[in-house]
Each structure stands twice: as structure tokens, then as C-alpha cells.
Amino acid sequence: MCILFCLVVFALVGSLAQADTSSSYDMVNHKSYGNCRTWTQKDMMTDDVSHHFECKEETFSDLSSVALSSWSGKRLEVRISKGIMFHLDDRISVALRIDTGPVIKRFAYWDKKNYAGIIEDHTLASGLMEDLAKGQRAVIQVGDERGNIKLRGSDAALKDFRRRVGLQPQQTLDIPSH
């Protein structure tokens, strides 16, 4: 019985691990730093380039992550996710706290495809670059779900992210908020 169960689990995990051929992006220059990572995406149709930073804690059944993305140098966004949440509204409340700093609360656009709250706030994203680099732990809340993320490697990952988007250390992007 156990052998049959193990074979079924391995088959399911193997099928989930296969590449997503529906993607229209190439991921290039992926680097891991502790539980943080950076990567660059290139749109196969338009050749637009985006740069990404993410720290995440993942278990077999759950995922908590905080991320920053720069899209073609035109906008900077914060992405916060907690597991696979099914949320029906276009907006969701999110909260973020780095170590013992202030709790940052916002309403985020709900990305149904990626199960994440997206905040297009340049000032917030720029400030988080320094806070995440120096922090030890981020606590998040998406809707009613909470999680925490150890920020191991965040300093090195954010140095790499800044380099990718063309920023000097401690410099922020000068992109006006919407």
C-alpha cells in the first residue's frame, strides 16, 4: 500500500515539475542567495525585459513570499503572496512588517493567476529595498492569511537586483507613482 502511495505522489510531483510550455517569457540569469533569489525575464514576443527579487519560505503545502519587480525600467512593484489563495475581488488587503519596524498596510491589486497581491507604489518599493536588505525576517498578511519569511541572503540578492536595474548601492529608482 505504501509503495503504491509513494509511486502516485512521485508521479504527481514529477508532472508538476515539468516546464510550463505556455509561458511566453524566458528566465535568464537566475541566482539564489539563501532563501532569496533574483532573475531576469525577457518577453518572447516583445523583447521587454523585467528584473525580479524574491524571498520566500516554502513548505509542501504552503508558500509565503515578498518580491520586488522592475518592468522595463518603467515601474517598480511589490508583490506579496501567501499560499494558493482563491480571492474573488479585484483588491485585497495586505500587510508587511520587517523585523520590529512599523506594520505597512495597503490594498493591493489581486493577481488571480499568480495568487499574489501587487502594489504599484514606487515609494514603498524603494524603501523596502533597504529594509529587506538589512532585515532578518518579514511577516506578511494577505487577506486573513499570515506567514513569515526569513531574509537569509536578502542583502546580496538586493545588491544583484539593484545592479540589474542599473542602480548604485542605496540608490532608488526615480519613477513617479501612478
Side-chain angles (χ1 to χ4, degrees), residues 3-121:
I3 294 173
L4 179 60
F5 176 75
C6 290
L7 289 174
V8 170
V9 169
F10 285 129
L12 287 172
V13 170
S15 67
L16 292 174
Q18 292 178 351
D20 179 6
T21 58
S22 67
S23 176
S24 62
Y25 293 95
D26 278 330
M27 182 188 297
V28 294
N29 202 15
H30 179 270
K31 293 187 179 178
S32 294
Y33 304 89
N35 66 319
C36 300
R37 64 187 182 132
T38 58
W39 70 95
T40 299
Q41 280 184 191
K42 184 175 180 184
D43 187 302
M44 290 183 215
M45 184 68 70
T46 65
D47 292 332
D48 285 342
V49 173
S50 59
H51 304 287
H52 306 271
F53 156 87
E54 177 185 51
C55 291
K56 68 180 179 179
E57 290 285 329
E58 190 170 13
T59 65
F60 183 71
S61 62
D62 197 24
L63 169 77
S64 296
S65 75
V66 60
L68 300 172
S69 298
S70 173
W71 299 91
S72 301
K74 296 176 186 167
R75 72 177 199 261
L76 187 63
E77 68 183 26
V78 178
R79 181 179 294 265
I80 301 172
S81 64
K82 176 66 182 144
I84 298 179
M85 297 177 55
F86 297 99
H87 181 75
L88 300 176
D89 296 329
D90 290 336
R91 292 177 9 133
I92 191 167
S93 64
V94 297
L96 173 67
R97 184 177 191 199
I98 309 298
D99 295 332
T100 58
V103 176
I104 301 164
K105 294 182 178 183
R106 297 282 196 282
F107 278 96
Y109 161 74
W110 181 245
D111 180 354
K112 292 175 180 139
K113 179 180 175 189
N114 296 304
Y115 309 108
I118 299 172
I119 307 165
E120 290 186 29
D121 182 333

